[in-house]
Amino acid sequence: MSAENDKQEVTVVDVKMPFTSMVIFLVKLTIASIPAVIILSIIFALLMAVFGGMFHGMGRY
């Protein structure tokens, strides 16, 4: 058998999820994203400090 014959396409038509379960999922998602935002903010601040230090004196002369 070839790999092309084994492929099957699937189309999702509807997802049934209770409202309270969806709210709980979104709250957990929001709480889980907080550490990621903190880490990205620290990385961005470090990059801005490096580039700010490199280009600090370029506009003076």
Side-chain angles (χ1 to χ4, degrees), residues 25-50:
F25 172 73
L26 290 175
V27 169
K28 287 181 180 181
L29 182 70
T30 304
I31 292 171
S33 68
I34 291 172
V37 170
I38 292 171
I39 291 170
L40 288 174
S41 298
I42 291 171
I43 291 171
F44 185 72
L46 289 173
L47 285 173
M48 290 299 106
V50 168

Side-chain angles (χ1 to χ4, degrees), residues 3-39:
E4 293 176 8
N5 293 336
D6 294 338
K7 293 181 182 178
Q8 294 181 356
E9 292 187 18
V10 176
T11 303
V12 177
V13 177
D14 189 17
V15 176
K16 293 184 180 180
M17 186 175 189
F19 181 74
T20 55
S21 179
M22 189 182 319
V23 169
I24 291 170
F25 172 73
L26 290 175
V27 169
K28 287 181 180 181
L29 182 70
T30 304
I31 292 171
S33 68
I34 291 172
V37 170
I38 292 171
I39 291 170

